[in-house]
Amino acid sequence: MTEPTRAHSRARSRTPARDHDDRPVVTGIGVAAPNGLGTPAYWAATLDGKSGLGRITRFDSERYPVRVAGEVSEFDDTEHVPSRLAVQTDHWSHLGLTAADMALRDAGVDPATLPEYEMAVVTASSSGGTEFGQREIEKLWSQGPGYVGVYQSIAWFYAATTGQISIRYGMRGPCGVICAEQAGGLDVLAQGRRLLRQDARVVVTGGTDASLCPYGLVAQVSTGLLSTRDDPERAYLPFDDDACGYVPGEGGAMLIMEDAAAARARGARPYGAVAGYGATFDPPPVPGQEPRSNLRRAITLALEEARVDPAEVDVVFADALGVPARDRLEAQAISAVFGPHGVPVTAPKTMTGRLYAGGAALDVATALLAIRDGVIPPTVGVRAAAPAYELDLVRSAARDGPVRNALVLARGHGGFNAAVLVTAA
Amino acid sequence: MTTFTLDDMRRIMGGCAGVPETLDLAGDIGEVSFAELGYDSLAVLEMAARIQQRLGVRIPDDAVDEMKTPQAAVDYVNRRLAA
């Protein structure tokens, strides 16, 4: 997906960077989440512990094993996306386009005034346009091939959101999509950072997912990791003794990432910097043996690159799968690095469900807001973290900071691990 | 004999390819090119597919390429209906 990079003369001719100036900054945030559309609404709800989980309304889920999800209920596809664009794109792209527009406005970036080849787009996706695809496949079955719309050819595939953002704003720099399920929402920041070290000056990054249609849900259910409980308040309880799987959700966040010096030069006010990143892959599962995880290594890689000691980390945004065996692996990785009860841990995704590619991007946005306001948002629903996990879980109510360094963890189904350390700019 | 009107075409355009941001479909758009209206080649292909289903008129791809305006599409369809 990535275009060949052009000459790097501009990057080379820069004056020597000041310390930390190679750390890209995030200057804009756009959020489309089940508990709030737009950053102010989302952040207020999240600090209040207000959940967006509820019975699925996008389709009749009565006969499906999973009936609770996080839907962006305030979102109106035809109101938020121009008509010509809306017909060509899936609901997941609608959420992404809307979040990207919010993020650009928040950053004060006017794409029309910037060189088109210096604006890049790298988003994460894990499902693509399943709802759109299901609609077209239903036409194929019931009416025949001539009834399948032409836009199926461009709406379903993973890069569609990236491509439509690129077209909408004339961003003709390197564009791509990363598919690593939940971890992809962090991996995009590393790819965006790479592009900023080359010729890009602005990168639209982050991700969304929205796969709450019968076809999409069935594909998710097959993993056996989803919660089948009907009570939204008891359906998703990561690290709890009563954990029973996770609730899926839709939405995510888009972020505007820029070179720190360039952002400063144009007078932007960054939320924070992306200071460290680590990615690892789990060993394949061996039947009859306990699963093993390389999450710890991803954490230490991110901290090392950021030159931040574990004691300097103020909060960990956990992946929080809500599946006991996986919760244990994550708790072990956190305790191994930070010590037992050694760092506040939180999972605001208990209020949104897991948003897949959108989830980790939203966690990064949330971590940056936590840094800005010096407060750690809560994990809702969990009555007490299982003592064996030895976690200092921020439960029920937000906890006052200060927050200077925040670590975000994400695991993608199939063995992806990623960690990102964001820090006050 | 059935005739295909510009209003029929407007309904098909808006229904399957969306409404332009800058121009009103209800306005005098017969001779405005699809490109100027904001419809790309995929959009015109989609319109042609809906016309074929609704009226049973077959529209080959090269004929679609020649339809530069809504009025040109209307004229083509009416020629085929009369044939």
Side-chain angles (χ1 to χ4, degrees):
Chain A
M1 297 300 303
T2 307
E3 291 179 14
T5 52
R6 295 180 297 132
H8 296 170
S9 54
R10 194 172 65 85
R12 267 198 226 106
S13 65
R14 278 181 191 150
T15 50
R18 295 213 317 247
D19 192 30
H20 291 178
D21 246 17
D22 59 336
R23 296 175 166 185
V25 293
V26 175
T27 55
I29 295 174
V31 171
N35 61 342
L37 182 62
T39 303
Y42 163 74
W43 185 230
T46 298
L47 289 180
D48 282 349
K50 184 170 158 267
S51 173
L53 304 188
R55 294 289 286 227
I56 292 173
T57 64
R58 290 192 72 80
F59 67 98
D60 181 3
S61 64
E62 201 51 47
R63 293 179 299 118
Y64 294 81
V66 173
R67 291 173 293 271
V68 168
E71 296 178 341
V72 188
S73 51
E74 294 166 71
F75 188 78
D76 180 337
D77 296 69
T78 56
E79 179 196 331
H80 290 101
V81 182
S83 168
R84 278 282 298 125
L85 194 46
V87 295
Q88 308 180 37
T89 42
D90 180 79
H91 180 56
W92 135 79
S93 294
H94 298 169
L95 291 165
L97 284 158
T98 303
D101 199 58
M102 290 176 184
L104 285 165
R105 288 170 198 272
D106 185 40
V109 168
D110 179 2
T113 64
L114 296 174
E116 56 185 356
Y117 288 103
E118 294 180 21
M119 296 183 283
V121 187
V122 185
T123 70
S125 169
S126 73
S127 290
T130 50
E131 191 179 77
F132 196 107
Q134 169 149 12
R135 204 162 56 227
E136 298 305 322
I137 289 168
E138 283 174 358
K139 288 184 202 163
L140 175 66
W141 291 334
S142 59
Q143 293 171 285
Y147 288 81
V148 176
V150 291
Y151 295 119
Q152 169 65 6
S153 62
I154 59 168
W156 72 270
F157 78 126
Y158 303 101
T161 301
T162 284
Q164 294 291 359
I165 292 170
S166 162
I167 293 167
R168 187 178 194 185
Y169 300 108
M171 297 174 167
R172 305 185 71 181
C175 291
V177 63
I178 293 180
C179 307
E181 217 242 21
Q182 187 93 10
L186 299 184
D187 296 333
V188 289
L189 300 182
Q191 173 64 6
R193 182 173 69 170
R194 186 175 295 138
L195 299 176
L196 288 171
R197 287 169 182 164
Q198 297 167 5
D199 287 340
R201 69 163 75 185
V202 170
V203 181
V204 178
T205 187
T208 53
D209 255 312
S211 202
L212 297 176
C213 60
Y215 160 39
L217 188 66
V218 165
Q220 296 167 59
V221 165
S222 68
T223 64
L225 303 174
L226 276 69
S227 171
T228 56
R229 275 197 201 148
D230 277 340
D231 177 0
E233 291 184 6
R234 303 300 301 158
Y236 182 27
L237 304 170
F239 304 114
D240 195 307
D241 279 331
D242 200 22
C244 58
Y246 71 86
V247 167
E250 63 176 12
M254 292 293 177
L255 307 168
I256 307 304
M257 200 157 72
E258 300 180 62
D259 173 78
R264 198 167 46 237
R266 74 172 184 89
R269 292 181 57 190
Y271 287 92
V274 177
Y277 164 77
T280 60
F281 206 76
D282 288 337
V286 179
Q289 287 184 22
E290 286 289 301
R292 289 175 300 151
S293 167
N294 288 329
L295 179 62
R296 177 187 177 175
R297 180 77 184 128
I299 296 172
T300 54
L301 284 169
L303 295 184
E304 282 166 19
E305 188 188 52
R307 285 166 283 164
V308 165
D309 287 332
E312 296 175 283
V313 174
D314 301 302
V315 60
V316 173
F317 286 78
D319 177 66
L321 199 66
V323 174
R326 309 295 181 92
D327 285 353
R328 187 166 59 246
L329 286 171
E330 184 172 27
Q332 284 168 353
I334 293 170
S335 292
V337 175
F338 296 95
H341 307 280
V343 64
V345 174
T346 191
K349 58 170 68 78
T350 46
M351 293 174 255
T352 63
R354 284 178 74 81
L355 309 184
Y356 302 98
L362 183 60
D363 273 345
V364 171
T366 311
L368 291 165
L369 294 167
I371 288 170
R372 183 190 71 183
D373 291 349
V375 61
I376 301 172
T379 307
V380 305
V382 178
R383 286 173 187 157
Y389 293 154
E390 301 184 310
L391 291 181
D392 172 16
L393 194 68
V394 178
R395 288 183 302 111
S396 308
R399 189 188 292 183
D400 284 339
V403 181
R404 183 167 173 83
N405 294 306
L407 181 71
V408 179
L409 306 183
R411 292 176 295 184
H413 186 64
F416 302 95
N417 301 299
V420 159
L421 193 288
V422 288
T423 189
Chain B
M1 187 193 80
T2 315
T3 56
F4 184 68
T5 67
L6 191 56
D7 274 343
D8 295 331
M9 187 64 199
R10 287 186 173 103
R11 276 190 288 277
I12 282 178
M13 291 161 69
C16 75
V19 180
E21 273 186 88
T22 48
L23 286 159
D24 186 0
L25 273 192
D28 189 13
I29 52 128
E31 304 294 348
V32 183
S33 73
F34 285 118
E36 279 175 81
L37 289 166
Y39 296 108
D40 55 18
S41 57
L42 265 189
V44 181
L45 210 56
E46 180 72 8
M47 294 169 199
R50 300 307 139 231
I51 292 168
Q52 293 184 60
Q53 284 147 14
R54 199 155 307 176
L55 301 174
V57 173
R58 215 181 79 72
I59 309 176
D61 286 353
D62 51 352
V64 176
D65 290 342
E66 294 303 310
M67 289 179 184
K68 301 299 185 196
T69 65
Q71 190 60 51
V74 168
D75 293 345
Y76 179 87
V77 172
N78 282 322
R79 279 199 304 277
R80 296 298 303 256
L81 285 170

